[in-house]
Amino acid sequence: DAKTTQPNSMESNEEEPVHLPCNHSTISGTDYIHWYRQLPSQGPEYVIHGLTSNVNNRMASLAIAEDRKSSTLILHRATLRDAAVYYCILRGEAGSYQLTFGKGTKLSVIP
Amino acid sequence: SAVISQKPSRDICQRGTSLTIQCQVDSQVTMMFWYRQQPGQSLTLIATANQGSEATYESGFVIDKFPISRPNLTFSTLTVSNMSPEDSSIYLCSTARRAGASYEQYFGPGTRLTVT
């Protein structure tokens, strides 16, 4: 699987939007961009995924650059419950089904 | 979605002993995986649990140390054998389900193992 690069940590104020960046310059044409997060003392949970177009769901939005070499996970209003480690992961359609986790971005939310 | 439960949720074990962790999924699934998360680290895949055949291990993990069973499509076990303090980690069970043209992955709550 291609590699991703994320900042080690970020901070956000509560109720403000958060933009979590991810670089994936070696992404291939069939790689999906997945985001997972891991709340303290829990297993990871799925957040969102996309291929080329921007995606929205009830948890977040995913903005994908036109060249697909970077993406941004957007939390529209951060809450204290959003404090977690966020993982940006590439998954090839023809590749293995399991996920390969990097170090992720630790998001802290300040009340 | 898939709901995954694990037993035990945590344990403290003596070195040289073995611990078997159980994973139960609320519905039949094709793929089940076991991950390890060492303190302060990210997740590392141990193996894919295959139903009806031997598990597929990732580099650095061997069957003698981490034997895995998958007797049916909803259940798997991971044994951590001959434990040492370096095995102190969180062990997570996972499955993947089709989501459109890709897959979503679901994780259990983890088993926190401390080896003394």
Side-chain angles (χ1 to χ4, degrees):
Chain A
D1 292 327
K3 185 177 168 56
T4 62
T5 304
Q6 299 177 252
N8 290 333
S9 62
M10 290 183 65
E11 269 187 3
S12 172
N13 293 319
E14 195 177 8
E15 298 191 4
E16 289 190 359
V18 183
H19 291 236
L20 296 162
C22 181
N23 287 322
H24 28 78
S25 58
T26 59
I27 190 170
S28 73
T30 56
D31 283 341
Y32 282 78
I33 302 160
H34 286 249
W35 284 82
Y36 284 75
R37 72 179 185 180
Q38 188 173 20
L39 303 171
S41 301
Q42 295 188 28
E45 64 176 351
Y46 168 81
V47 177
I48 200 166
H49 78 277
L51 183 62
T52 56
S53 305
N54 295 344
V55 184
N56 301 297
N57 66 20
R58 63 175 179 81
M59 290 180 71
S61 296
L62 176 59
I64 301 172
E66 199 169 325
D67 64 6
R68 299 206 332 122
K69 293 186 176 181
S70 66
S71 61
T72 302
L73 180 71
I74 302 166
L75 308 179
H76 296 285
R77 283 182 75 224
T79 68
L80 295 178
R81 195 193 173 274
D82 292 320
V85 178
Y86 287 78
Y87 298 99
C88 170
I89 303 169
L90 302 184
R91 170 179 261 160
E93 177 62 9
S96 303
Y97 300 116
Q98 66 270 27
L99 296 170
T100 302
F101 285 81
K103 295 188 183 302
T105 296
K106 183 174 182 178
L107 175 66
S108 301
V109 180
I110 303 167
Chain B
S1 65
V3 178
I4 302 175
S5 59
Q6 288 183 231
K7 287 183 190 179
S9 59
R10 57 177 61 225
D11 208 342
I12 301 173
C13 301
Q14 302 230 333
R15 68 171 68 212
T17 62
S18 298
L19 176 72
T20 296
I21 302 167
Q22 298 179 8
C23 175
Q24 180 76 52
V25 187
D26 66 341
S27 57
Q28 293 185 345
V29 294
T30 303
M31 295 171 280
M32 290 183 77
F33 310 102
W34 286 98
Y35 286 82
R36 180 176 76 179
Q37 188 170 29
Q38 294 176 299
Q41 303 296 313
S42 186
L43 283 77
T44 302
L45 180 67
I46 297 172
T48 301
N50 302 308
Q51 199 268 327
S53 64
E54 219 169 72
T56 305
Y57 290 84
E58 297 299 305
S59 175
F61 298 95
V62 295
I63 188 171
D64 290 346
K65 176 67 176 177
F66 298 101
I68 288 171
S69 79
R70 178 90 193 269
N72 57 50
L73 292 175
T74 65
F75 187 78
S76 178
T77 67
L78 168 76
T79 299
V80 185
S81 303
N82 188 24
M83 288 183 284
S84 67
E86 292 70 38
D87 295 319
S88 297
S89 294
I90 299 171
Y91 293 86
L92 296 114
C93 175
S94 173
T95 186
R97 280 221 170 113
R98 195 82 179 175
S102 188
Y103 289 85
E104 288 181 25
Q105 198 140 345
Y106 302 94
F107 290 83
T111 296
R112 184 179 295 271
L113 171 62
T114 301
V115 184
T116 60

